[in-house]
Amino acid sequence: MSASPAAPSATKPPVTVLGLGLMGYALADALLTAGHRVTVWNRTAAKAAPLVERGALLAPSVREALEAGPLTIACLLDYDTQRALLEPAAGALHGRTLVSLTNGSPAQARETESWALALGARYVDGGIMAVPHQIATPEAFLFYSGAQDPFDEHRTTLSVLGTPHYLGPEVDVASLYDLALLSGMDMMFAGFFHATAVATSHKGTTASDFAPHLVTWLTSMLGMVPLMAADIDSSGPPAYSQTLDLVRAAARNMGDAAREAGVRADHFDRTVAELDGRIAAGETEYTASTAVDRLRVPARG
Ligand code: FVH
């Protein structure tokens, strides 16, 4: 249930939120609770009803939403949707700040900044590292990048949503970090799904039986991340190293265990094939640095 909104404050700047999906709604709700005058717009206007009941203003058009104040936060499905909505009302962005919290690629952030600057708008790109129920809690953090002046001007307002991490004036860095973290999360969940498929092939083992073991194991392994990161950054001898023979043997075992359990083993088959190639080429050592290097696509000459 939403907290009661504080009365809109004369000292808190007004904010517009475009998009009232699960996340946009949570953002608008948090700003309202913090005492901002919040103007909202959403394609499906009915989603605004509970916010309007609590004091939000529902703009009849995107243009009027933009015109309601100096700061608009957009949180829409994707950048194509965002641009399609903003384009017809683009003139209203002149002299105002647009903060996009819509998930998009670094290239889309650069392109949107150029578009906004050409309109005389100020633009900050952001990435939300939280799910909707975490917004405005200590668990939520957000990345921002782009021009520093509008970020500094609106930092206090943006802080309502979660801890802001400003990553500098290069507009594409927030989305780069955002998508890098989402990639890590995606692969972690893929690992969870795979491990669960393997473990629950044992009759009588449920996912819930197995999950605490996985959590304990992954939590302990997370402690290695800073050590491996230091290895990646260093040119000295690595603190963490295994032989490629050992890593290949483990990958074969993980593939065999998956097959026996009736689970797809293609990830491990690809790993073994890649390690075969490295061993055949004379490599012997598996380190965090070499693991990261092998992921890089060689630049085209
Ligand atoms: N939900 C989450 O956990 C993640 C957390 C990290 C950040 N993401 C990104 O936030 C953006 C919005 O996500 P969302 O959860 O609010 O998504 P939905 O609930 O699906 O709402 C989508 C909103 O976009 C509107 N919309 C979609 N298509 C159109 C269109 N053609 N024209 C106008 N608006 C459109 C939709 O409107 P409606 O369906 O309510 O009418 C919603 O406002 C997203 O980038 C995540 O990656 C969330």
Side-chain angles (χ1 to χ4, degrees):
M1 200 164 109
S2 303
S4 308
S9 156
T11 57
K12 293 198 175 175
V15 193
T16 291
V17 177
L18 289 185
L20 296 177
L22 293 176
M23 184 52 84
Y25 187 97
L27 302 177
D29 191 44
L31 291 161
L32 201 55
T33 301
H36 289 269
R37 179 161 64 79
V38 179
T39 300
V40 295
W41 181 90
N42 194 51
R43 174 181 63 175
T44 310
K47 288 189 186 173
L51 294 169
V52 170
E53 240 172 67
R54 297 176 61 237
L57 307 168
L58 175 62
S61 67
V62 172
R63 174 177 290 277
E64 284 159 275
L66 297 176
E67 286 170 350
L71 170 65
T72 291
I73 296 172
C75 188
L76 293 150
L77 176 68
D78 55 23
Y79 269 69
D80 289 344
T81 304
Q82 181 171 288
R83 178 64 76 84
L85 289 178
L86 289 173
E87 194 76 69
L93 280 171
H94 184 85
R96 295 189 163 93
T97 296
L98 173 65
V99 174
S100 173
L101 297 181
T102 300
N103 190 261
S105 69
Q108 286 174 317
R110 292 192 295 273
E111 210 256 323
T112 306
E113 182 188 56
S114 304
W115 174 80
L117 292 181
L119 294 166
R122 301 193 300 170
Y123 181 68
V124 176
D125 201 80
I128 306 173
M129 306 320 303
V131 292
H133 75 265
Q134 293 174 318
I135 291 300
T137 74
E139 286 159 11
F141 66 100
L142 293 89
F143 293 127
Y144 296 98
S145 60
Q148 178 141 16
D149 284 353
F151 174 75
D152 285 345
E153 192 176 309
H154 298 292
R155 178 193 278 270
T156 307
T157 302
L158 296 172
S159 296
V160 167
L161 310 175
T163 305
H165 296 288
Y166 177 65
L167 299 172
E170 293 168 79
V171 74
D172 47 8
V173 183
S175 69
L176 186 74
Y177 274 39
D178 178 356
L179 290 167
L181 289 195
L182 288 180
S183 307
M185 179 193 74
D186 192 68
M187 292 186 194
M188 177 195 73
F189 282 126
F192 160 58
F193 298 139
H194 179 90
T196 300
V198 171
T200 56
S201 70
H202 173 253
K203 227 169 163 205
T205 297
T206 67
S208 302
D209 294 331
F210 177 68
H213 298 301
L214 187 69
V215 170
T216 303
W217 173 241
L218 292 183
T219 304
S220 114
M221 288 299 99
L222 275 179
M224 291 183 66
V225 167
L227 305 175
M228 290 186 178
D231 277 351
I232 293 164
D233 291 339
S234 145
S235 49
Y240 163 83
S241 166
Q242 289 179 304
T243 66
L244 281 178
D245 283 339
L246 186 80
V247 174
R248 180 174 62 178
R252 277 191 187 128
N253 290 341
M254 287 186 273
D256 289 344
R259 264 182 289 276
E260 252 183 70
V263 172
R264 277 169 50 177
D266 40 331
H267 166 77
F268 297 104
D269 293 342
R270 282 196 305 279
T271 302
V272 169
E274 200 234 319
L275 294 172
D276 283 343
R278 285 166 66 178
I279 290 166
E283 277 189 58
T284 56
E285 203 183 19
Y286 183 88
T287 67
S289 291
T290 54
V292 170
D293 281 347
R294 292 296 172 271
L295 288 172
R296 297 190 197 287
V297 180
R300 285 194 205 142

